[in-house]
Amino acid sequence: MNTPITGQKLFYLIDAKNQVVGRLASKIVPILIGKHKPIHSPHLGTECGDHVVIINAKHVSFSGDKWKRKLYRWHTGYPGGLKEFTAEQRHDRFPTYVLETAIKRMLSKNSSSLRKLRMSRVHIFPEDTHTFDAQQPIPVDLLGKDAVELEKEF
């Protein structure tokens, strides 16, 4: 039986349409870690986080003018190899990149293997169709009233 008490992995379905990226990511990370379960115990090292299926990632929003102002940077390792793109450019090319990066950067950075394990339980889809129907994900409304009503751009 799948309950929070048994410690089995549950699947949660989250609709990211019109949600602010940072607020949504900050609500998803505790589910990946397992802090919502009564069996969570960080000092024992037990991994009890659940899977999160996110739909409509293409329709997320940023507050303010971050679509044009926020930059994603990385270096290739070669001289002059600094790559820099705005959030809008990354979102146009890879619709799930912005949300995936926000979640990844909010996870703790003390263990790369644990971080990879937790990110493997995030399943992001750009539209409202997903491939996890057989797992019967539980729909969750994390930010209900905090959703941003967008009538521009999308």
Side-chain angles (χ1 to χ4, degrees):
M1 182 170 169
N2 286 344
T3 64
I5 304 296
T6 61
Q8 294 181 350
K9 305 289 185 209
L10 298 175
F11 282 77
Y12 291 100
L13 179 66
I14 297 172
D15 188 4
K17 190 169 198 167
N18 297 338
Q19 302 286 340
V20 178
V21 173
R23 290 180 187 169
L24 184 62
S26 68
K27 300 292 184 179
I28 291 171
V29 168
I31 296 173
L32 294 174
I33 296 171
K35 287 187 173 183
H36 64 292
K37 292 187 174 185
I39 61 169
H40 174 68
S41 182
H43 67 284
L44 293 178
T46 56
E47 187 53 42
C48 60
D50 291 326
H51 290 263
V52 177
V53 179
I54 304 167
I55 57 173
N56 289 322
K58 189 177 188 177
H59 306 290
V60 294
S61 68
F62 274 118
S63 58
D65 62 342
K66 289 182 188 162
W67 283 115
K68 296 192 180 353
R69 196 170 38 91
K70 184 169 180 59
L71 297 174
Y72 291 97
R73 296 182 182 130
W74 65 93
H75 202 282
T76 63
Y78 290 98
L82 180 67
K83 300 292 182 185
E84 184 176 84
F85 293 99
T86 64
E88 188 175 33
Q89 290 170 333
R90 294 307 288 175
H91 188 68
D92 289 342
R93 185 159 181 204
F94 306 106
T96 61
Y97 180 85
V98 172
L99 186 57
E100 182 179 357
T101 305
I103 294 169
K104 184 176 182 179
R105 290 179 180 178
M106 282 192 187
L107 287 170
S108 64
K109 293 147 185 86
N110 57 358
S111 171
S112 64
S113 62
L114 193 56
R115 196 176 190 191
K116 287 178 187 175
L117 174 70
R118 289 176 177 158
M119 280 306 293
S120 70
R121 290 195 301 257
V122 178
H123 313 284
I124 304 176
F125 297 93
E127 295 297 333
D128 59 354
T129 57
H130 62 88
T131 58
F132 289 91
D133 290 327
Q135 285 77 17
Q136 299 173 346
I138 302 163
V140 178
D141 185 20
L142 294 178
L143 297 174
K145 62 179 179 164
D146 289 337
V148 174
E149 298 300 327
L150 289 178
E151 53 268 355
K152 60 179 191 261
E153 294 186 67
F154 288 27

